[in-house]
Amino acid sequence: PESSPPTAKATVSQYACQRRTTTENKNQIFTDAFEVLAESYEFNEIEGPCLAFRRAASVLKSLPSEVDCMGATQDLPCLGEHTKAVMEELLQCGHSFEVEKILSDERYQTLKLFTSVFGVGPKTAEKWYRRGLRSFSDILAEPSIHLNRMQESGFLHYGDISRSVSKAEARALGNVIDEVARAITPDAILALTGGFRRGKEFGHDVDFIVTTPEPGREKTLLSNIMDELKEQGILLYSDYQPSTFDISKLPSHRFEAMDHFAKCFLILRLEGSQVEGGLNSAEGDSRGWRAVRVDLVSPPMDRYAFALLGWTGSRQFERDLRRFARLERRMLLDNHALYDKTKKEFLAAATEKDIFAHLGLEYIEPWQRNA
Ligand code: ATP
Ligand code: MN
Ligand code: MN
């Protein structure tokens, strides 16, 4: 139809970057089930259905109200036959047979447990499972298993880093890093990104962009910051990846490819954290600190907007921004740049709004990107 009648409901876009998705999810019954299914496919390396369930979950998360009958799904994009069958079951009996079966499956349970350790991905978890290992004590007691440095810290700080990080803790860490960065260079710029920038109350880590307007200085800033954190005795683990950024390269086609900015994945010791009264205090543990996962990335200032947009997430939002750019605009977008394939030129941006404008998209606020 050329123009929709005034009473027609606004259609929901298939692209997350054309939807507004707050942290308030009215359809968690469905999206939790879809996430179990997606994860199970991921463990079995079946990519298509895995992505399909994540897309479907993302669509339902954007809805202003709960889906209470199958009729309400009629005009929604990205819901296939399998997805709808699961929804129907959930609506009828409150649970899905398929999801229950996965949740009680030993392989799923074990892979879920193993991948909950920092540094352990599906490949490693699978390898351990095939060797007959089923618990952390199995792994730690097996002499032939060599843990890398990341996994060692993952086990060492397991209790702390599997506990979610609060907004207050994220803020406290921001103050620590801000102070360290400014002592190194007074013009340092620090921005909270990731889930906390999207307004989430809790996160699995804290993500920051830290850079400086001084060209080239961002290449060494992170290692200076890490040295100082070490000096202060709060650096519990660090994995530093120096910049491999090349301004002439076209944006990457592959979504999962990491960006090329200098970055580090850390575990920091956060002092004065609310361990008291927390889960650890059962045996009178009154230690006044906790370990927290922190990611820092340091883009050059002229790429700040791209890095901020790329690191704010959510992953599904990022995926769809890139897919939209490629399929609807013949443009390539990644964390470094936006390239117009028709004009054969890079499009510069000083702010996230500039990038949305280049893409011909309405601006979506960070707190509306919880796709
Ligand atoms: P949570 O609260 O669980 O931490 P989150 O949305 O902050 O949720 P993260 O895994 O911390 O999730 O990722 C934040 C953002 O950073 C995502 O948009 C992701 O695409 C991006 N990101 C994470 N790791 C990398 C990386 N190595 N290279 C490029 N981008 C990354
Ligand atoms: Mn995060
Ligand atoms: Mn992160």
Side-chain angles (χ1 to χ4, degrees):
E2 291 283 310
S3 62
S4 40
T7 50
K9 275 186 277 176
T11 56
V12 177
S13 170
Q14 64 151 313
Y15 295 107
C17 55
Q18 291 186 306
R19 306 190 293 255
R20 295 173 200 274
T21 313
T22 65
T23 53
E24 196 181 354
N25 177 4
K26 297 273 174 56
N27 287 285
Q28 203 179 342
I29 315 152
F30 305 112
T31 60
D32 281 355
F34 292 175
E35 185 48 38
V36 171
L37 289 155
E39 210 162 24
S40 168
Y41 281 115
E42 193 167 38
F43 288 155
N44 293 310
E45 287 174 272
I46 307 172
E47 208 179 344
C50 169
L51 219 64
F53 275 111
R54 295 232 159 99
R55 255 192 210 148
S58 176
V59 167
L60 295 189
K61 283 181 191 173
S62 75
L63 301 179
S65 57
E66 188 184 347
V67 170
D68 56 2
C69 65
M70 288 312 286
T73 65
Q74 211 170 23
D75 299 323
L76 296 178
C78 311
L79 304 182
E81 246 170 73
H82 193 176
T83 319
K84 285 191 172 171
V86 174
M87 291 184 76
E88 207 156 359
E89 233 189 321
L90 286 167
L91 283 170
Q92 273 168 16
C93 42
H95 58 88
S96 148
F97 177 74
E98 198 183 354
V99 171
E100 299 298 314
K101 206 177 85 188
I102 293 167
L103 288 174
S104 62
D105 177 59
E106 188 184 29
R107 187 180 124 89
Y108 174 83
Q109 287 175 357
T110 310
L111 296 187
K112 183 92 183 142
L113 177 72
F114 291 174
T115 55
S116 75
V117 179
F118 176 57
V120 181
K123 292 264 156 59
T124 306
E126 166 74 32
K127 199 175 70 193
W128 291 347
Y129 180 80
R130 269 192 277 113
R131 286 215 213 164
L133 308 173
R134 295 292 180 268
S135 66
F136 290 165
S137 44
D138 285 352
I139 294 165
L140 299 173
E142 176 58 50
S144 68
I145 281 193
H146 173 76
L147 298 178
N148 64 31
R149 213 169 50 84
M150 197 181 204
Q151 295 158 348
E152 285 280 2
S153 327
F155 277 109
L156 185 62
H157 300 292
Y158 186 79
D160 271 8
I161 60 184
S162 55
R163 211 153 44 82
S164 59
V165 184
S166 70
K167 216 189 254 183
E169 289 171 324
R171 223 174 284 129
L173 273 163
N175 292 337
V176 170
I177 294 162
D178 195 49
E179 198 168 311
V180 167
R182 280 167 195 277
I184 293 162
T185 172
D187 58 5
I189 291 162
L190 182 77
L192 185 63
T193 66
F196 287 109
R197 182 159 183 257
R198 302 197 307 273
K200 279 176 59 177
E201 290 293 327
F202 295 96
H204 95 282
D205 68 355
V206 194
D207 309 281
F208 294 101
I209 291 181
V210 54
T211 188
T212 128
E214 192 185 326
R217 181 72 178 88
E218 80 285 346
K219 288 202 177 108
T220 49
L221 181 59
L222 280 190
S223 48
N224 295 157
I225 289 175
M226 285 163 54
D227 287 344
E228 181 54 28
L229 293 170
K230 194 171 186 177
E231 192 68 32
Q232 293 187 12
I234 59 177
L235 190 66
L236 299 175
Y237 169 85
S238 64
D239 171 12
Y240 175 64
Q241 307 191 349
S243 167
T244 54
F245 180 54
D246 175 351
I247 52 162
S248 63
K249 261 202 203 118
L250 291 189
S252 165
H253 286 262
R254 287 188 40 243
F255 169 68
E256 295 301 343
M258 283 202 183
D259 67 42
H260 298 286
F261 302 129
K263 63 174 76 66
C264 56
F265 307 106
L266 311 175
I267 299 175
L268 296 185
R269 178 185 163 110
L270 178 62
E271 302 291 340
S273 193
Q274 2 157 303
V275 182
E276 79 287 342
L279 299 169
N280 288 353
S281 63
E283 297 108 44
D285 179 358
S286 59
R287 147 188 93 115
W289 64 276
R290 67 165 290 184
V292 187
R293 273 272 301 112
V294 174
D295 290 338
L296 304 180
V297 60
S298 196
M301 208 51 206
D302 63 337
R303 304 311 167 105
Y304 182 86
F306 294 103
L308 184 62
L309 181 61
W311 280 78
T312 297
S314 66
R315 269 173 199 272
Q316 200 57 39
F317 191 87
E318 301 299 327
R319 241 183 231 130
D320 278 3
L321 261 179
R322 289 165 195 220
R323 198 163 58 96
F324 177 88
R326 191 161 42 88
L327 301 179
E328 305 295 330
R329 299 291 185 255
R330 276 184 43 85
M331 291 183 187
L332 296 174
L333 172 72
D334 69 5
N335 289 7
H336 320 93
L338 178 63
Y339 180 78
D340 186 325
K341 291 203 284 182
T342 310
K343 292 185 187 159
K344 295 195 172 59
E345 64 183 24
F346 284 96
L347 305 175
T351 65
E352 288 179 316
K353 286 199 172 113
D354 293 343
I355 303 171
F356 281 89
H358 283 316
L359 290 168
L361 283 171
E362 275 179 45
Y363 182 65
I364 308 285
E365 300 283 353
W367 51 272
Q368 299 170 327
R369 298 180 202 162
N370 289 285

